[in-house]
Amino acid sequence: MKLTVETEVPQKDVVVYGGDHSPWVQAVLLGLHLKHVSYRVHSFPPRKVFRFSGVLMPALRLNDDSWLLQSQDILEAYGYGRLERDDFRALLKALVGGAHRVDSTIRFWRLWSWVADEHRNPFVRLRNVMFRPFLVLYFNVALTRLKQVPQALPSLIQIRENYLPWQQALEETGTPFLDGDKPGLRDIYLFAAVQLHASMPVPPMDVLCTDPELDRLRAWVYEMQKACVGYRHMYSVKYFPVDGGVQPDRSSLCERAGFWLGSALILLLAPITVPWVRKKMGMVRRNGLIVRSVRIE
Ligand SMILES: N[C@@H](CCC(=O)N[C@@H](CS)C(=O)NCC(=O)O)C(=O)O
């Protein structure tokens, strides 16, 4: 799929569907932020996206009202190029440990209830947060399944080893960022992984904050936070405080009440909603949507 910035991707009032707990969503939002493209994040997919790809995120709305899946396709359309295969592999390793997010189910749901929705229309915003529990149930099921795989729960030593190639790459660059004097695609994706771990504290966050061998990586986190000042989804500032660094906005009390009401309904209707989640998940996997370039017309 080839898109050209001039003709196809919006340059303002961009709408992204996704939740900022997702590293792939974070990568897209960071990429837009660094290009000074203004955007709004909707926390539940529009109907045609939901029908096609369920709650798979991120998706970005194009000028003709079609939706583009895949963070790499989106970032490429904004001029970022693509990750090398080895970098992508190293990134996947840096994400390992994220399955610990469901160590506490209550915490998992509560922190998702805090995620802000930026739809302009307050009624649609409320609808989005009331539907969001479907998405949370979906990821709760997906991560609980993932936890059955031993490699998904690495030891602290393994977590450190997964970070080390990045620490070494930074030591070798001689520049503040992996991609030079300004953040590039590798910085964006790795910083997105840091946001994943910071959005819901998990062992990879403890290792990043405390391991004596990861000092260069921590210095880079500070540099990234400075480079991304004003970014609205910066969970890491809680662990790496900087001047001007602000934590993400939270949903309003009313929206949270809507979320919990939606959650109660979804759980009451579990005999319907759980099979529905499984059906949607099966569809995403069968159709290879997690990796396939797709434009939803
Ligand atoms: N290759 C995709 C990966 C997107 C992805 O895996 N998103 C997760 C959220 S972190 C998701 O929505 N998963 C849905 C599923 O597993 O069915 C991208 O880069 O955008």
Side-chain angles (χ1 to χ4, degrees):
M1 172 161 320
K2 272 275 165 272
L3 289 171
T4 57
V5 178
E6 299 74 44
T7 55
E8 305 240 27
V9 279
Q11 292 300 319
K12 58 179 183 180
D13 293 332
V14 173
V15 172
V16 176
Y17 149 64
D20 62 11
H21 288 194
S22 155
W24 315 104
V25 174
Q26 279 277 351
V28 166
L29 302 182
L30 281 162
L32 294 175
H33 179 83
L34 287 167
K35 295 260 178 188
H36 309 288
V37 176
S38 63
Y39 62 83
R40 280 174 289 124
V41 185
H42 296 176
S43 62
F44 200 80
R47 196 190 320 200
K48 76 173 163 192
V49 174
F50 184 74
R51 287 181 63 170
F52 185 85
S53 48
V55 297
L56 179 66
M57 58 179 72
L60 179 135
R61 192 173 69 193
L62 298 171
N63 289 325
D64 62 357
D65 214 29
S66 60
W67 290 78
L68 187 58
L69 294 179
Q70 300 302 340
S71 59
Q72 290 223 60
D73 288 343
I74 296 170
L75 289 169
E76 190 177 26
Y78 279 93
Y80 280 103
R82 294 187 85 84
L83 284 177
E84 300 285 332
R85 190 178 286 261
D86 285 350
D87 291 328
F88 188 68
R89 283 213 191 97
L91 172 71
L92 291 181
K93 286 191 173 174
L95 293 171
V96 176
H100 278 290
R101 299 166 78 73
V102 287
D103 285 354
S104 158
T105 307
I106 270 290
R107 183 188 70 167
F108 185 72
W109 284 67
R110 192 180 72 239
L111 296 188
W112 264 107
S113 79
W114 289 355
V115 172
D117 187 286
E118 297 175 331
H119 202 289
R120 281 194 207 286
N121 181 329
F123 295 106
V124 182
R125 207 158 57 225
L126 189 60
R127 188 209 61 186
N128 282 352
V129 292
M130 286 185 76
F131 285 176
R132 192 189 300 162
F134 182 85
L135 180 157
V136 182
L137 179 65
Y138 185 103
F139 287 114
N140 199 151
V141 170
L143 289 172
T144 306
R145 274 191 192 172
L146 183 62
K147 275 182 79 174
Q148 313 303 316
V149 180
Q151 294 90 320
L153 302 176
S155 66
L156 297 183
I157 292 171
Q158 185 60 51
I159 293 172
R160 184 190 55 194
E161 277 169 14
N162 289 341
Y163 280 131
L164 279 179
W166 295 109
Q167 158 86 16
Q168 281 154 9
L170 280 161
E171 280 167 353
E172 283 159 19
T173 55
T175 53
F177 301 104
L178 288 160
D179 289 323
D181 291 323
K182 287 188 179 157
L185 198 57
R186 293 188 302 162
D187 297 286
I188 286 174
Y189 271 104
L190 186 60
F191 197 53
V194 172
Q195 301 314 313
L196 162 79
H197 296 318
S199 66
M200 208 170 279
V202 283
M205 201 60 215
D206 299 335
V207 173
L208 179 61
C209 289
T210 56
D211 193 287
E213 284 191 53
L214 299 178
D215 50 349
R216 179 66 184 89
L217 201 51
R218 284 189 286 276
W220 166 85
V221 173
Y222 280 110
E223 289 297 333
M224 280 301 288
Q225 292 190 163
K226 274 194 250 157
C228 299
V229 76
Y231 178 60
R232 304 198 296 279
H233 308 275
M234 191 112 77
Y235 288 100
S236 54
V237 284
K238 182 172 169 196
Y239 303 91
F240 301 91
V242 278
D243 286 347
V246 275
Q247 294 226 39
D249 282 345
R250 283 189 188 171
S251 55
S252 68
L253 273 181
C254 171
E255 286 161 0
R256 264 179 257 171
F259 173 87
W260 289 114
L261 182 64
S263 304
L265 283 174
I266 281 237
L267 295 178
L268 271 175
L269 296 174
I272 298 168
T273 50
V274 172
W276 196 11
V277 158
R278 291 214 179 100
K279 189 173 160 215
K280 284 281 178 196
M281 210 177 274
M283 180 195 75
V284 168
R285 276 142 191 76
R286 250 191 334 276
N287 297 331
L289 294 176
I290 290 185
V291 290
R292 213 175 90 199
S293 290
V294 175
R295 184 168 172 167
I296 308 168
E297 304 285 348

